[in-house]
Amino acid sequence: MYTHFEEFSISTETFELVIANELVQLDERVFLLFKLLIEDYPAHCSKQRCLDCIWPNTVVSDMSLAKLVSDTRKLFKKVGCQASIIETVHGRGYRLSKELGQQLSNANTPVDSEPQLLPSGHEQTTGELSAKIPAQEESLSFTEKILAQKGNLIVGVLLLIFMVFTLNHYLIPSVLKSAQTPLLKNNPQEVVYSQSPDAIGRILWVDDHPDNNVEEREAFRQQNIGVYSTTSTDEALLLLSIYGYEMVISDMGRGEEPIAGLKLLRVLRESGTEIPYIIYTLNDTPELHDAVSKSGGQGVAVDAESLLNLVIPHFITLESEVKNQ
């Protein structure tokens, strides 16, 4: 069932968006957001309702929702839709824009007819947009997709429990025994990361020797930025698939893999994930800067000062965008 507006048609059941007779693929969360806004119009949809429905059984901050709304507005403009899409109800939530709301009211109810699409080969390319919808999910109903997501989340939670067990039995004891990290000896909970309720954003830090950047992580937390740490590429990909982060910081070499950080960056970009990505390493060369830039990264830092200079402005801008919405 499609809901038709003047500039586009959308199905929140099959997760399809049609603009100018072309099928546009977007992140499923965009469709979940639209479903809530259409259902609740003319009332606004509260932030908590959005968080509960779009990220079920997942702990995310208001920043993740604000970023989704901001990205959705940008994506619609990018594919040629000039209409105002989402209206911010300050301090409370979001509502379908008056322009779309009026069109929705005039139409009364969604209709079943599907919009005519261009012939095969003319569908819009969306490599620059958000993560693509898996083909096998296109025929599923909205309820089935939510159930499937919950099933995946349960598997993810079990894997996280295993990860925590591993960290508690191997990483923490080795860190506490290290004579080079007195701060961790006096503060063992340093290895377990969380964020304050009013944190302006979250960083996922990938490093197989997290004791090497204790001071840098503490500096970010003092700036009200949540820092979450993992030691491997596989764990990083798992966490990124479950939780929302505003940035990834990675070391360059891990274990026997000298370019693990660069490989993780390429995997994320190839999957359509555009999260800002910083390499934090000791070796600074023009060739490394060039490789990171060509792979879609945002920079290379070799010391705490250069790292802060790369990271802090991003979160200041993000906080400002949220306040102005």
Side-chain angles (χ1 to χ4, degrees):
M1 179 178 292
Y2 278 82
T3 302
H4 297 284
F5 298 95
E6 290 181 1
E7 292 192 63
F8 65 92
S9 299
I10 187 169
S11 171
T12 57
E13 293 184 357
T14 60
F15 291 2
E16 292 178 338
L17 172 69
V18 177
I19 297 180
N21 293 329
E22 294 182 345
L23 184 63
V24 180
Q25 294 180 319
L26 300 177
D27 190 316
E28 290 184 4
R29 289 171 294 188
V30 174
F31 294 95
L32 295 176
L33 174 62
F34 258 95
K35 182 177 187 297
L36 295 172
L37 297 177
I38 291 172
E39 287 178 347
D40 288 1
Y41 190 83
H44 72 279
C45 185
S46 70
K47 292 182 180 180
Q48 191 58 52
R49 173 164 153 77
C50 288
L51 293 173
D52 292 342
C53 294
I54 299 174
W55 291 275
N57 302 320
T58 305
V59 179
V60 296
S61 67
D62 289 352
M63 293 292 296
S64 296
L65 175 60
K67 188 174 187 302
L68 175 62
V69 171
S70 177
D71 288 346
T72 300
R73 290 167 175 158
K74 293 176 183 176
L75 289 170
F76 269 77
K77 288 190 180 297
K78 198 169 189 177
V79 296
C81 180
Q82 300 304 314
S84 174
I85 301 297
I86 302 172
E87 185 179 283
T88 300
V89 182
H90 292 286
R92 292 155 56 186
Y94 299 93
R95 176 169 50 214
L96 205 63
S97 70
K98 292 181 180 178
E99 183 177 349
L100 295 188
Q102 184 61 46
Q103 296 174 29
L104 187 66
S105 300
N106 292 340
N108 293 323
T109 58
V111 296
D112 291 326
S113 61
E114 296 186 8
Q116 296 296 316
L117 302 180
L118 293 179
S120 178
H122 291 273
E123 287 82 4
Q124 180 167 343
T125 301
T126 58
E128 298 176 350
L129 303 180
S130 298
K132 296 181 179 179
I133 304 171
Q136 63 268 28
E137 291 186 7
E138 291 182 355
S139 61
L140 295 178
S141 69
F142 175 78
T143 301
E144 289 172 330
K145 291 187 178 188
I146 292 298
L147 291 175
Q149 290 174 355
K150 289 184 177 180
N152 291 336
L153 285 171
I154 292 173
V155 174
V157 169
L158 292 175
L159 289 174
L160 281 176
I161 292 173
F162 173 76
M163 288 162 48
V164 171
F165 175 83
T166 302
L167 289 174
N168 285 338
H169 284 76
Y170 296 101
L171 177 59
I172 294 178
S174 64
V175 170
L176 293 177
K177 291 179 182 179
S178 172
Q180 298 178 350
T181 54
L183 177 59
L184 288 177
K185 287 185 177 182
N186 296 328
N187 189 18
Q189 66 268 28
E190 182 73 19
V191 188
V192 181
Y193 301 103
S194 61
Q195 66 181 48
S196 62
D198 59 342
I200 63 175
R202 297 149 54 105
I203 293 172
L204 178 62
W205 198 313
V206 190
D207 193 326
D208 56 347
H209 295 289
D211 47 308
N212 289 339
N213 45 61
V214 171
E215 294 182 0
E216 291 90 334
R217 297 198 304 272
E218 180 59 31
F220 287 132
R221 286 195 291 273
Q222 290 178 1
Q223 294 293 324
N224 207 20
I225 300 172
V227 182
Y228 294 75
S229 181
T230 185
T231 60
S232 73
T233 293
D234 289 341
E235 291 175 357
L237 291 173
L238 174 61
L239 290 170
L240 287 167
S241 71
I242 298 175
Y243 300 107
Y245 300 93
E246 281 68 50
M247 178 173 286
V248 173
I249 299 175
S250 173
D251 56 357
M252 188 58 177
R254 286 192 289 278
E256 298 180 357
E257 179 52 71
I259 58 170
L262 194 58
K263 286 186 175 181
L264 173 58
L265 169 59
R266 290 172 178 170
V267 168
L268 292 176
R269 294 300 180 256
E270 288 171 1
S271 70
T273 303
E274 298 298 327
I275 185 171
Y277 193 102
I278 304 294
I279 294 286
Y280 190 39
T281 182
L282 295 175
N283 300 316
D284 185 17
T285 66
E287 291 77 14
L288 176 58
H289 281 267
D290 185 57
V292 171
S293 177
K294 288 182 178 179
S295 299
Q298 278 60 55
V300 177
V302 295
D303 55 40
E305 182 178 359
S306 60
L307 181 64
L308 291 173
N309 288 337
L310 282 172
V311 175
I312 297 301
H314 170 77
F315 283 92
I316 292 176
T317 300
L318 188 62
E319 183 180 28
S320 177
E321 289 179 353
V322 172
K323 289 181 178 179
N324 292 332
Q325 288 181 359

